[in-house]
Amino acid sequence: MVELNVKGMMCGGCASSVEKAIKRVDADAAVKVDLASGKVSVETKADAKTLGDAIEAAGYEVAT
């Protein structure tokens, strides 16, 4: 399980964009996005850096 704090998500469309970015890295990932807290939980085989890079490439900031 990887948990990331993502800044810049404001709506369901943002959550969908983040999920799609993660799915491009690992199509089998189970993604849970909590817009209120900005937390993204991912059950995946990918590492946090790879996921963070994909999310940042989609236009969002991953806080450490």
Side-chain angles (χ1 to χ4, degrees), residues 6-58:
V6 180
K7 294 183 180 180
M9 295 188 301
M10 306 301 249
C11 64
C14 295
S16 179
S17 293
V18 168
E19 184 172 349
K20 286 178 186 174
I22 292 168
K23 293 281 191 174
R24 282 193 287 274
V25 172
D26 179 0
D28 297 325
V31 183
K32 181 180 177 196
V33 177
D34 183 343
L35 280 174
S37 68
K39 292 196 182 292
V40 178
S41 302
V42 187
E43 290 217 19
T44 181
K45 295 176 184 173
D47 61 71
K49 176 165 179 14
T50 302
L51 296 175
D53 289 347
I55 292 168
E56 288 182 348

